[in-house]
Amino acid sequence: MLLRLLFLLLLVIGPQAGAWADDGYRLWLKYDQLPEAGLRKEWQAQTNSIRIDQNVGPTLQTAAHELQLGLQGLLGRPVPVGAAPGGKGHLRLRVAPDAALGQEGYRISYQNGGLEITGSTETAVLYGCFALLRQVQTGQRPAGLRLSSQPRIRYRLLNHWDNPNGTVERGYAGSSIWKWQELPEVLDPRYQDYARANASIGLNGVVLNNVNASARYLTPEYLRKVAAVAGVLRPYGQRVYLSVLWAAPKVIGGLKTSDPLEPQVQAWWKARTDEIYKTIPDFGGFLVKANSEGEPGPQDYSRTHADGANMLARALGQHDGIVMWRAFVYKAGSGDRFRQAYEEFQPLDGQFADKVLVQVKNGPIDFQAREPFHPLFGAMPRTPLVLEVQLTQEYLGFATHAVYLGPLIKECLEADTHRQGPGSTVAKVVDGTLEKHSLSGIAGVANIGSDRNWTGHPVGQANWYAFGRLAWDHTLRSEDLAREWTRMTLTREPAAVAAILPLLNQSRAIYVRYTTPLGLHHIMGQSLHYGPEPWLSQSARPDWTSVYYHKADAQGLGFDRTATGSDALALYAPGARHLWANPATCPPDYLLWFHHVGWGQPLSTGRTLWDELTTRYYSGTDSVRWMQQQWELAKPALDPQLYADVAARLRVQHREAQWWRDACVLYFQEFARRPLPPTLTPPARPLAEIKELVDIYQLR
Ligand code: BDP
């Protein structure tokens, strides 16, 4: 009887206890014991202790501590940290200048019979430690291990769009992780866990606040708070940066102007910047959104973006910091939005000061599910360009749709600008190798919030992970990163991994199919940017409507951006333009980005535009069912809580895929006036009913 009771008790508490309780907080840094005893033994034999020199700095101590934590968990036995040297059976961390590795690169190798992680700096060794842990976590063997890697891009940043009041612009994972009102006294343990996550994937900096910036961050009171966060992030190699409000000299400085050519404005920024460096000696620099979507900027004083950026660069002076000036600009009523950033920024190429990088979104409109690469990547050879991608899923179903972004980021990086002939990829522009820039940068708009699992949707973690790994090395394959993340985060059980990987790898293409197939874009719900609203025709500006972008009429669908239309295609080098210029050869995925195509026009797929469009909406929606089945296959190997969470979100995703499908098919049918292909079942509800759904979601 007693035994039976005990057994029942175990059944009740079992799933919540120990290794099975997985609320997602630990991300990919789980360090649960390796199941394979043999593999554990092999690693144990190489890691009897960790050896570091005495009197090392905080980052190397952090590195040793992380390694200790990880190895103890994975190998299931204590790993002491002792004084170098060490030797056979011990793991040595060594900082030694090595030109081949640069400042941040690491090498893992056997030296005198013992494993050693080396790098020119303590931060480099820290990256190496996480690389070694990744080897153990993903089940690699220690024998003959030799690995070296260095980042291809220098500034690898997350951009938080977080506000002082704790809200996050376009954030879907709770509120901000930065608790400004508690700082600087209270240091939430999350800050440290956040820093280690970033370091583990190779990132090296964080813009703490929203690009629609509050001037408050530049006040002494807030700088003390920022300094406190910087203090936690520093041992993990993460520098802090701030987004600044262009009008700050007026708003908090008491000046009458923010004109960058005014000496008093220049003096104000110089003094503020010196003050920042006194408080935060390794401050990274400024991110600026100016003269965009109502934000103030130098154009308010008839000055250029270059005037503004260069003034800030001068304020930075000798300090080791940079200015990242965003190119996300588009003025109301001045033609095709696709062209506007190009028209404003391309003529400024060559005018930016040394410390300035121009930050460009991956595509010319705004983080759509698929965009052609931004034409500026092929047009500003004399300016280092930061690639900005969005990890938070503003246009990709918030935290309810599983969309793995590895393929999206890679698609942009691998796109060929043809700037210097074939092979002039966006990656080579961004990493600086194409034009020999010494500065280079990449930024991901963070999808991180106060939710226990950090990203709302558990799959969102994979986007943080893949972004960091690609920022370090853009030649890595998206599929390999999905595999790494899955095996470190979800399960290493082969059948389950085999079920989950195709789900992840195809998720973005599936999302495109049921929302914006064939190059449709910007047809989502107004303001909130959720759900379909292709009929949206009235807004504060024409380029905030949907009809502006899809141009559906009785003849056909799509935005003519050839010479007969807005001619945005002319912004690309001939080689790149050539790919899209002819509707007969333009890849279907980009067709409606560049062409207005007749409903009955046969496409390269063999179907007419109408049939292809509707087929994609249906097959995309059906594929969400397939995603559910794949997830189901993995169930036995998954933590029950995590399994249930994703399964529920997939149910929402399927319901909303149907919403997108029915809305778009019925709406476009009003123009096409054609029946659905016979294999497709017409939506059961009328368009009017679907339109009401948008009002419910938008709370209008
Ligand atoms: C848009 C967002 C808006 C951002 C803006 C930006 O809707 O909230 O402020 O981008 O990047 O996608 O500045």
Side-chain angles (χ1 to χ4, degrees):
M1 183 64 190
L2 194 65
L3 269 180
R4 257 191 79 176
L5 261 178
L6 250 176
F7 178 68
L8 279 178
L9 195 70
L10 273 177
L11 269 188
V12 175
I13 59 169
Q16 278 96 43
W20 276 113
D22 190 357
D23 58 13
Y25 185 80
R26 293 178 302 159
L27 297 160
W28 48 87
L29 300 171
K30 287 198 164 143
Y31 305 148
D32 290 335
Q33 189 172 308
L34 288 178
E36 305 92 332
L39 191 60
R40 280 203 309 271
K41 275 221 174 63
E42 287 176 37
W43 279 105
Q44 283 169 357
Q46 305 302 335
T47 57
N48 287 312
S49 73
I50 296 164
R51 301 302 180 108
I52 52 175
D53 291 326
Q54 278 162 332
N55 302 325
V56 294
T59 297
L60 206 67
Q61 285 174 26
T62 300
H65 176 71
E66 288 296 331
L67 204 50
Q68 182 182 40
L69 197 78
L71 291 176
Q72 289 184 169
L74 288 159
L75 307 181
R77 60 105 165 83
V79 183
V81 178
K88 196 164 165 26
H90 302 277
L91 174 50
R92 166 134 200 227
L93 309 187
R94 196 162 63 86
V95 179
D98 185 332
L101 293 175
Q103 287 296 298
E104 294 179 297
Y106 59 81
R107 179 177 300 115
I108 305 174
S109 59
Y110 281 94
Q111 300 294 331
N112 308 320
L115 260 183
E116 186 172 285
I117 305 177
T118 40
S120 302
T121 61
E122 295 196 0
T123 312
V125 175
L126 175 70
Y127 289 129
C129 288
F130 281 115
L132 183 91
L133 286 170
R134 193 157 53 233
Q135 294 289 307
V136 186
Q137 275 179 287
T138 53
Q140 317 299 315
R141 315 208 95 89
L145 181 60
R146 205 187 151 76
L147 201 71
S148 80
S149 180
Q150 56 175 311
R152 291 173 190 270
I153 295 176
R154 181 152 157 201
Y155 296 98
R156 307 177 299 279
L157 312 185
L158 282 185
N159 288 185
H160 284 255
W161 284 359
D162 297 16
N163 299 313
N165 66 3
T167 57
V168 179
E169 174 139 354
R170 311 299 179 183
Y172 315 105
S175 43
S176 173
I177 57 170
W178 317 120
K179 298 180 176 167
W180 296 109
Q181 78 284 7
E182 296 178 356
L183 284 160
E185 291 86 356
V186 182
L187 297 171
D188 189 324
R190 264 204 177 215
Y191 303 158
Q192 191 179 352
D193 289 331
Y194 166 81
R196 50 200 289 271
N198 272 359
S200 74
I201 50 178
L203 296 173
N204 65 4
V206 184
V207 182
L208 295 176
N209 63 312
N210 192 355
V211 286
N212 301 316
S214 160
R216 194 172 296 180
Y217 291 94
L218 298 171
T219 61
E221 186 200 352
Y222 261 74
L223 287 179
R224 279 194 295 277
K225 296 171 189 280
V226 172
V229 174
V232 181
L233 269 44
R234 184 171 299 118
Y236 289 87
Q238 308 298 304
R239 295 170 75 182
V240 303
Y241 300 69
L242 288 175
S243 295
V244 292
L245 175 73
W246 184 257
K250 278 168 77 178
V251 176
I252 56 165
L255 302 187
K256 291 214 162 50
T257 170
S258 299
D259 181 347
L261 299 195
E262 270 291 329
Q264 47 177 337
V265 172
Q266 298 170 353
W268 186 87
W269 280 107
K270 178 94 188 76
R272 253 333 51 212
T273 307
D274 289 344
E275 189 61 37
I276 293 175
Y277 277 90
K278 238 184 252 155
T279 329
I280 310 157
D282 59 348
F283 180 68
F286 301 122
L287 174 64
V288 192
K289 171 177 179 178
N291 293 118
S292 163
E293 299 187 327
E295 292 296 314
Q299 292 177 346
D300 303 348
Y301 306 93
S302 308
R303 313 299 184 199
T304 68
H305 288 290
D307 292 331
N310 295 348
M311 188 273 286
L312 281 184
R314 274 196 303 279
L316 282 167
Q318 294 306 307
H319 300 300
D320 176 21
I322 53 168
V323 177
M324 291 158 290
W325 194 272
R326 294 176 89 229
F328 178 66
V329 295
Y330 58 107
K331 293 218 163 54
S334 51
D336 183 1
R337 176 169 166 188
F338 194 115
R339 303 180 58 111
Q340 290 167 24
Y342 184 102
E343 280 164 0
E344 271 191 50
F345 275 85
Q346 195 283 327
L348 300 175
D349 189 33
Q351 294 182 30
F352 289 99
D354 283 350
K355 285 174 172 253
V356 178
L357 301 95
V358 169
Q359 181 158 318
V360 183
K361 288 189 181 182
N362 58 291
I365 300 297
D366 194 7
F367 298 138
Q368 298 300 291
R370 170 173 280 124
E371 296 203 27
F373 72 87
H374 201 302
L376 277 175
F377 286 115
M380 294 191 72
R382 293 196 283 164
T383 312
L385 300 180
V386 178
L387 167 63
E388 178 179 314
V389 295
Q390 193 183 46
L391 309 177
T392 190
Q393 291 171 231
E394 175 181 358
Y395 298 98
L396 285 91
F398 294 6
T400 26
H401 294 230
V403 185
Y404 169 55
L405 295 175
L408 184 155
I409 302 172
K410 282 293 278 188
E411 198 170 277
C412 177
L413 286 164
E414 286 174 355
D416 196 345
T417 69
H418 287 265
R419 154 102 219 138
Q420 294 184 12
S424 309
T425 58
V426 171
K428 288 185 189 164
V429 173
V430 170
D431 73 13
T433 53
L434 193 70
E435 310 289 351
K436 314 261 176 303
H437 291 302
S438 59
L439 298 188
S440 57
I442 186 164
V445 179
N447 58 351
I448 294 157
S450 61
D451 278 4
R452 182 70 192 156
N453 73 359
W454 302 87
T455 54
H457 200 307
V459 168
Q461 294 183 1
N463 296 333
W464 181 5
Y465 183 85
F467 169 73
R469 301 278 287 125
L470 288 171
W472 178 279
D473 183 356
H474 55 68
T475 67
L476 294 172
R477 295 174 59 233
S478 158
E479 296 82 358
D480 293 340
L481 298 175
R483 179 178 297 108
E484 265 179 30
W485 176 79
T486 301
R487 299 183 77 228
M488 291 162 78
T489 314
L490 304 179
T491 175
R492 279 182 52 212
E493 204 279 307
V497 173
I500 294 168
L501 286 185
L503 181 167
L504 291 178
N505 292 331
Q506 293 179 44
S507 59
R508 184 280 192 126
I510 291 169
Y511 184 83
V512 171
R513 282 175 94 91
Y514 67 75
T515 59
T516 48
L518 294 171
L520 282 172
H521 51 281
H522 209 291
I523 57 170
M524 68 289 150
Q526 176 163 220
S527 316
L528 197 61
H529 298 167
Y530 200 74
E533 201 175 1
W535 47 85
L536 180 68
S537 61
Q538 299 292 320
S539 192
R541 308 170 39 152
D543 52 6
W544 286 348
T545 68
S546 300
V547 297
Y548 173 96
Y549 295 96
H550 64 64
K551 306 245 186 279
D553 58 23
Q555 281 71 47
L557 180 65
F559 201 129
D560 180 5
R561 292 191 166 104
T562 67
T564 52
S566 78
D567 207 15
L569 263 174
L571 308 182
Y572 292 99
R577 192 189 312 158
H578 177 74
L579 183 68
W580 297 313
N582 179 351
T585 54
C586 177
D589 284 340
Y590 293 92
L591 188 63
L592 303 177
W593 270 104
F594 296 108
H595 302 280
H596 191 73
V597 181
W599 294 112
Q601 178 70 39
L603 305 186
S604 56
T605 59
R607 296 192 182 92
T608 62
L609 173 69
W610 170 250
D611 285 1
E612 187 64 39
L613 185 80
T614 48
T615 300
R616 288 189 184 211
Y617 272 115
Y618 274 78
S619 70
T621 305
D622 293 345
S623 298
V624 182
R625 273 265 181 266
W626 168 82
M627 289 167 77
Q628 291 178 295
Q629 287 156 10
Q630 294 298 109
W631 189 247
E632 212 51 41
L633 289 176
K635 181 177 179 181
L638 295 171
D639 170 81
Q641 189 177 329
L642 180 104
Y643 159 79
D645 183 9
V646 173
R649 287 173 204 265
L650 282 168
R651 285 196 290 277
V652 180
Q653 185 172 350
H654 186 252
R655 171 160 50 79
E656 296 190 343
Q658 288 174 308
W659 175 26
W660 269 96
R661 178 196 67 194
D662 294 354
C664 294
V665 164
L666 291 176
Y667 170 73
F668 290 127
Q669 195 170 34
E670 291 186 336
F671 298 90
R673 296 170 188 279
R674 284 159 185 263
L676 287 178
T679 49
L680 307 180
T681 316
R685 47 192 170 174
L687 186 57
E689 198 177 299
I690 300 167
K691 286 187 178 177
E692 277 168 24
L693 280 179
V694 179
D695 289 348
I696 293 166
Y697 272 96
Q698 304 274 3
L699 302 176
R700 288 204 290 254

